[in-house]
């Protein structure tokens, strides 16, 4: 599980964001904070993987908090979640190492896309990190994991299919290193196997995925799906 610290001076907004995080498989809210001091104390305890950080806090700005975290040697990842949309603040966040910048107001789907790409980044780094030294291909894979815009879903989704779920499955297949089975897609997305299979079948028929068969000892082939670049 990825432990998240939700930081917002507005208690109501913090609660909404926390509920959003709790709906994304693989993430859990470890703490909430409503000031920079509270947030820094949570980070100092060493149990936080990711901070969802508002910029406008009562005692310091979010970017000042990130600067203090880095000065103290805390490499905790940060996603800015704020109404501050000026270019100067965005550039400063980039320079301090914020992985994403989400401008309020936003939808659950927008936040989930960022969280899913962050989870993909962690998986990619874990895989590459075991090799000690990363070549250009591995470096490119790490950076590509941060791309948050999923490929557009096919128009005219069948009844019972939702756009966010389609985008989520496209995102998982797009970043997979090899073809995945319906069982593997279900595990990555938190969906049931039958739901994953239904969406995979539609995406394959729409030409977004390539279907291949892998034969095992039982003789019954396993369906595996790979992303088809547009």
């Amino acid at each position: 599980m990825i432990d998240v610290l939700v930081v917002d001076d507005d208690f109501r907004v913090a609660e909404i964001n926390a509920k959003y995080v709790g709906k994304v498989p693989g993430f859990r809210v470890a703490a909430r904070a409503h000031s920079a001091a509270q947030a820094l104390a949570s980070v100092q305890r060493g149990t936080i993987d990711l901070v969802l950080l508002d910029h406008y806090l009562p005692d310091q700005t979010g970017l000042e908090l990130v600067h203090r975290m880095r000065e103290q040697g805390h490499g905790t990842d940060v996603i800015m979640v704020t109404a501050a949309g000026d270019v100067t603040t965005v550039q400063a966040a980039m320079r301090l190492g914020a992985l994403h910048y989400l401008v309020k107001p936003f939808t659950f789907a927008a936040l989930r896309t960022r969280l899913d790409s962050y989870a993909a980044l962690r998986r990619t780094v874990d895989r590459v990190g075991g090799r000690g030294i990363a070549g250009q291909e591995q470096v490119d894979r790490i950076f590509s994991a941060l791309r948050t815009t999923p490929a557009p879903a096919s128009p005219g989704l069948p009844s019972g299919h939702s756009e966010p779920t389609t985008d989520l499955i496209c995102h998982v297949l797009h970043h997979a290193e090899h073809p995945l089975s319906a069982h593997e897609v279900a595990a990555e997305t938190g969906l049931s196997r039958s739901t994953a299979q239904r969406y995979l079948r539609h995406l394959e028929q729409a030409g977004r995925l390539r279907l291949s068969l892998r034969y095992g000892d039982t003789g019954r082939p396993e369906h595996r799906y790979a992303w088809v670049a547009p």
Side-chain angles (χ1 to χ4, degrees):
M1 296 292 289
I2 296 173
D3 288 324
V4 180
L5 169 64
V6 176
V7 184
D8 200 292
D9 67 322
D10 188 318
F11 284 71
R12 182 182 60 85
V13 173
E15 184 63 26
I16 292 173
N17 291 347
K19 288 181 178 179
Y20 279 173
V21 172
K23 292 168 63 177
V24 181
F27 291 82
R28 64 186 174 195
V29 176
R32 298 172 181 81
H34 308 292
S35 68
Q38 292 176 355
L40 185 60
S42 294
V43 170
Q44 288 172 335
R45 285 193 285 270
T47 59
I48 303 299
D49 299 308
L50 174 67
V51 180
L52 292 187
L53 181 59
D54 187 18
H55 182 58
Y56 298 118
L57 300 174
D59 48 351
Q60 280 188 316
T61 67
L63 293 185
E64 288 171 340
L65 170 60
V66 178
H67 185 68
R68 288 183 64 191
M69 288 167 50
R70 301 305 183 234
E71 281 187 331
Q72 295 183 13
H74 301 296
T76 310
D77 294 320
V78 174
I79 293 178
M80 297 298 296
V81 179
T82 177
D86 59 284
V87 175
T88 300
T89 303
V90 174
Q91 287 181 323
M94 293 174 61
R95 289 166 182 153
L96 285 170
L99 296 179
H100 287 303
Y101 197 107
L102 193 57
V103 179
K104 297 177 182 177
F106 55 86
T107 64
F108 166 64
L111 178 60
R112 176 165 189 163
T113 300
R114 272 72 178 178
L115 294 180
D116 286 336
S117 72
Y118 174 71
L121 171 66
R122 286 174 63 97
R123 291 192 298 269
T124 302
V125 170
D126 287 343
R127 287 193 294 265
V128 174
R131 303 171 188 173
I133 299 176
Q136 186 62 54
E137 180 181 353
Q138 288 73 37
V139 171
D140 290 343
R141 189 172 297 150
I142 290 172
F143 275 87
S144 69
L146 280 174
R147 296 172 186 164
T148 63
T149 305
S154 300
L157 289 175
S159 176
H161 287 62
S162 72
E163 194 80 21
T165 302
T166 301
D167 288 347
L168 176 60
I169 291 178
C170 286
H171 181 85
V172 168
L173 269 297
H174 180 62
H175 290 93
E177 296 182 348
H178 51 74
L180 300 179
S181 66
H183 177 76
E184 291 169 325
V185 171
E188 288 280 351
T189 58
L191 301 170
S192 69
R193 187 184 182 281
S194 60
T195 298
Q197 182 65 65
R198 187 170 74 252
Y199 277 81
L200 290 168
R201 187 180 301 112
H202 165 69
L203 289 167
E204 187 268 328
Q205 292 173 349
R208 307 311 303 270
L209 303 178
R210 182 177 65 254
L211 173 64
S212 60
L213 302 179
R214 185 172 74 178
Y215 290 87
D217 296 335
T218 62
R220 184 177 181 179
E222 178 185 54
H223 290 200
R224 301 184 69 81
Y225 299 86
W227 180 252
V228 176

